[in-house]
Amino acid sequence: FTPDDLGAIEKRMQEIVRRNEDIRREVWDRDEAVAFFLKQGEDFKAEIIRDLPADQEVSLYRQGDFIDLCRGPHLPATSKLGDGFKLMKVAGAYWRGNADNAQLQRIYGTAWRDKKELNAYLKQLEEAEKRDHRKLAREMGLFHIQQEAVGSMFWHPKGWRMRQNLENYIRGKMEKGGYQEVSTPQMMDRILWEKSGHWDKYGDDMFTVCTHDHREMAVKPMNCPGHVQIFNQGIKSYRDLPIRLGEFTTLFRNEAHGALHGLMRARSFSQDDAHIFCTEGQINEETAAFITMLREVYKDFGFESFRIKFSDRPEKRAGADETWDKAEGALREAVESLGLECELNPGEGAFYGPKLEFVLRDAIGRDWQCGTLQVDFVLPERLDAHYIGEDGEKHRPVMLHRAILGSFERFLGILIENYAGRFPFWLAPLQVVVATITNDADEYAAKVLAELTQAGVKVELDTRNEKINYKIREHSHAKVPVIMVIGAKEAAEGTVAVRRLGGKDQEILALETAIAKLREEAVIPGS
């Protein structure tokens, strides 16, 4: 099949919809089903049936003269599909995901309740394609990816400046919130990861190195075991709690090649990662403080609201059920005390504790899970963390794992797509370009550049021997928020012509006035 075939297949589907054929489920004997599909030349379906557990029934669906293997459920008749469907693409797929097997093809489609919903979805896809952060990053000169470092970014100066802006912004928030920044080793012995339980859960996703003395070291995919090691140094009293430790160093995860997607899913990334060591009685207070900070951060980036999911114990987990009962109860009590509404996300907690997931909705209606708060009674036990309580005895602290942005890289990708590259002035990697009409204005333009730089504005100078309309078009395409146009008249009068991205008009301002306005806009929120 090729994409050109999809239109013809859709027409055939529409015919079948109009025939309004009943769709009926049937349960067949295993051997009978295998023989039937082998006779039809459907060897792959026969193989699936042979591999089913002995006690699992073989579910088939009959539609007219067509019989197919499927566990269902299905619509009762073909007419129920209506006209809200479309075939999207064709892709190769190895049988059962194994490259040693036959290569097949898969046709992807989408179905909605009606044509209106379908068109809305297709419009969203079209808009998402325009906003693709990888495409915009190329246009804006932010980063690139190449085969020699799959899943990692080559950050260009503008992109790295944005990435640093994010980190510095959240660092300031965390410092005000009483967090202490730390740094832990990039590689730690496998023994520590086995103690923490991460090896059993994430071992296949870790990059490992064997040292000359035959020790197996894992490049860290998360910071939590290292933060427990810092907490464990010296004797801690209940008076010292809560202790809030934050870290921004790079993490590495061996994500499958097919799962990688620019900034959204990478093998190397950093997080606004922090761990709060506290008593059980401090969970509510720390949860409230975290959510207050989270609201402020999301609002600064233009997200006025968010949804919360409560993710409880997964099937594969560490710790006894009694421990999970206590952790889930503590987190649920914290949520209820704050009057927050949550939707249950069953079985999606971390392997060591339940969590809250904070979901943002972007400008075109897509949801992104960013922030998390996890209550952990397990890791302090496994790594022998303790403090001296008011009674003079040893007690285990509760460990709250928390992040607001999550991965800096992923959050930056979300911002690029949410704003379609048209960032708020304070966040833009390049805020102003000073562009000359004539080289006679070069000396004055250099003065404007120096004064804007002194005011803390990120600015570049464009004195190329090109027409001003060409310069404006080029810098607008690169999503520069402000272009200051300077000619002989502006140089003589000490003014600048200010053009805003997306605006058709320009504003003539005295240089001092323009710099004062832009200095104010360049201030990082909350700083």
Side-chain angles (χ1 to χ4, degrees):
F1 294 105
T2 72
D4 294 336
D5 296 320
L6 298 185
I9 297 172
E10 278 185 13
K11 285 183 180 178
R12 179 72 171 175
M13 291 170 70
Q14 288 160 359
E15 289 176 18
I16 297 171
V17 167
R18 286 193 295 271
R19 289 208 300 258
N20 191 23
E21 294 179 343
D22 289 337
I23 302 174
R24 298 192 309 276
R25 182 174 184 267
E26 301 176 359
V27 177
W28 284 31
D29 173 78
R30 177 186 301 267
D31 293 339
E32 182 187 4
V34 169
F36 172 80
F37 283 112
L38 287 175
K39 186 177 180 181
Q40 300 291 321
E42 296 276 14
D43 296 347
F44 297 119
K45 289 174 185 173
E47 181 182 325
I48 289 175
I49 296 169
R50 286 195 195 100
D51 291 346
L52 289 174
D55 60 346
Q56 185 170 329
E57 62 185 17
V58 180
S59 167
L60 278 68
Y61 280 83
R62 185 185 295 272
Q63 172 190 311
D65 295 329
F66 179 62
I67 300 175
D68 199 12
L69 173 68
C70 191
R71 63 184 172 189
H74 282 218
L75 294 169
T78 59
S79 64
K80 300 296 183 182
L81 184 59
D83 59 358
F85 65 88
K86 183 173 179 60
L87 300 183
M88 307 295 289
K89 64 179 181 178
V90 178
Y94 289 109
W95 172 236
R96 293 192 155 179
N98 187 337
D100 294 330
N101 291 338
Q103 186 171 26
L104 311 179
Q105 282 186 297
R106 182 178 287 137
I107 296 178
Y108 290 86
T110 186
W112 297 80
R113 287 184 296 186
D114 53 41
K115 195 80 169 179
K116 182 179 178 183
E117 285 190 1
L118 171 66
N119 289 338
Y121 173 70
L122 296 177
K123 186 175 181 181
Q124 185 189 68
L125 287 184
E126 183 182 347
E127 186 63 29
E129 189 174 347
K130 292 178 192 172
R131 293 167 179 257
D132 189 312
H133 70 281
R134 296 164 299 180
K135 168 179 169 287
L136 291 171
R138 286 193 298 271
E139 294 173 0
M140 299 175 71
L142 302 182
F143 70 86
H144 81 273
I145 303 170
Q146 61 188 60
Q147 286 303 310
E148 289 80 359
V150 173
S152 297
M153 312 304 135
F154 288 83
W155 288 101
H156 299 195
K158 292 175 187 175
W160 187 243
R161 189 185 297 154
M162 276 198 78
R163 165 68 180 69
Q164 290 296 91
N165 278 353
L166 279 184
E167 185 175 316
N168 292 335
Y169 164 82
I170 203 71
R171 175 178 282 116
K173 286 284 187 185
M174 288 172 64
E175 285 176 355
K176 289 179 180 178
Y179 291 81
Q180 303 171 80
E181 189 173 343
V182 298
S183 180
T184 55
Q186 292 293 128
M187 289 194 299
M188 292 185 282
D189 197 299
R190 170 178 175 166
I191 293 170
L192 178 61
W193 298 105
E194 288 176 336
K195 280 184 182 177
S196 70
H198 288 91
W199 189 265
D200 286 341
K201 179 71 176 176
Y202 297 110
D204 291 341
D205 297 324
M206 291 188 192
F207 291 102
T208 57
V209 176
C210 191
T211 64
H212 291 301
D213 55 355
H214 307 295
R215 297 175 67 188
E216 190 171 10
M217 309 288 284
V219 184
K220 67 175 178 180
M222 61 274 297
N223 293 311
C224 34
H227 288 188
V228 179
Q229 305 314 301
I230 292 176
F231 179 86
N232 284 349
Q233 298 303 300
I235 298 173
K236 301 296 187 299
S237 162
Y238 70 94
R239 294 188 182 91
D240 299 320
L241 304 184
I243 292 174
R244 309 178 187 96
L245 302 180
E247 181 167 8
F248 305 129
T249 50
T250 304
L251 304 174
F252 296 86
R253 295 182 187 173
N254 191 13
E255 301 281 4
H257 189 283
L260 299 174
H261 181 68
L263 295 174
M264 303 304 195
R265 193 76 175 264
R267 286 178 175 165
S268 64
F269 58 93
S270 299
Q271 295 178 314
D272 62 324
D273 192 21
H275 299 91
I276 302 168
F277 297 87
C278 64
T279 67
E280 288 185 45
Q282 292 170 330
I283 293 175
N284 285 15
E285 183 181 345
E286 289 302 309
T287 299
F290 168 73
I291 293 177
T292 297
M293 184 191 297
L294 177 138
R295 286 186 196 277
E296 292 172 357
V297 170
Y298 289 168
K299 188 173 182 180
D300 284 346
F301 286 104
F303 299 102
E304 294 292 334
S305 62
F306 51 84
R307 288 172 30 241
I308 305 176
K309 295 181 179 180
F310 188 104
S311 300
D312 61 10
R313 68 193 74 186
E315 186 175 340
K316 187 176 180 181
R317 58 185 180 270
D321 285 344
E322 295 79 8
T323 303
W324 275 88
D325 291 341
K326 186 163 67 168
E328 289 173 354
L331 187 56
R332 195 171 286 112
E333 181 185 327
V335 169
E336 290 171 356
S337 71
L338 296 169
L340 298 172
E341 291 185 9
C342 294
E343 57 185 271
L344 184 62
N345 193 22
E348 292 299 318
F351 80 92
Y352 46 73
K355 64 180 174 179
L356 300 181
E357 299 180 1
F358 298 86
V359 181
L360 300 176
R361 178 158 291 180
D362 70 11
I364 60 173
R366 297 173 301 178
D367 288 339
W368 302 96
Q369 186 263 304
C370 294
T372 59
L373 175 69
Q374 301 158 13
V375 175
D376 182 4
F377 287 85
V378 172
L379 220 55
E381 177 76 31
R382 296 185 73 128
L383 297 180
D384 195 26
H386 62 264
Y387 66 92
I388 305 302
E390 198 169 357
D391 57 2
E393 300 296 323
K394 289 183 178 180
H395 297 269
R396 298 290 183 202
V398 180
M399 191 174 178
L400 305 182
H401 306 242
R402 47 112 292 168
I404 294 176
L405 305 182
S407 157
F408 289 125
E409 285 73 12
R410 182 170 178 271
F411 194 78
L412 184 53
I414 293 168
L415 289 178
I416 292 171
E417 297 194 1
N418 181 62
Y419 287 110
R422 297 168 177 252
F423 299 108
F425 189 82
W426 71 270
L427 184 60
L430 175 60
Q431 295 166 326
V432 177
V433 166
V434 178
T436 54
I437 300 173
T438 169
N439 290 125
D440 294 340
D442 285 0
E443 186 176 341
Y444 177 62
K447 175 190 173 186
V448 173
L449 175 77
E451 294 194 17
L452 283 167
T453 302
Q454 184 68 27
V457 176
K458 303 177 189 77
V459 57
E460 289 183 0
L461 184 61
D462 186 351
T463 58
R464 293 174 299 165
N465 188 23
E466 300 282 359
K467 292 182 179 179
I468 190 61
N469 286 341
Y470 174 84
K471 294 181 181 181
I472 290 170
R473 189 163 56 250
E474 184 178 69
H475 296 304
S476 296
H477 188 66
K479 309 294 189 294
V480 179
V482 172
I483 302 172
M484 281 189 175
V485 178
I486 293 175
K489 181 181 178 186
E490 286 76 20
E493 296 177 355
T495 60
V496 290
V498 178
R499 298 179 66 99
R500 298 275 181 172
L501 182 62
K504 295 181 180 179
D505 301 323
Q506 62 183 24
E507 184 180 16
I508 307 299
L509 298 172
L511 177 58
E512 295 78 9
T513 302
I515 289 176
K517 289 179 72 171
L518 295 178
R519 182 194 291 118
E520 188 174 330
E521 292 179 39
V523 174
I524 296 174
S527 62

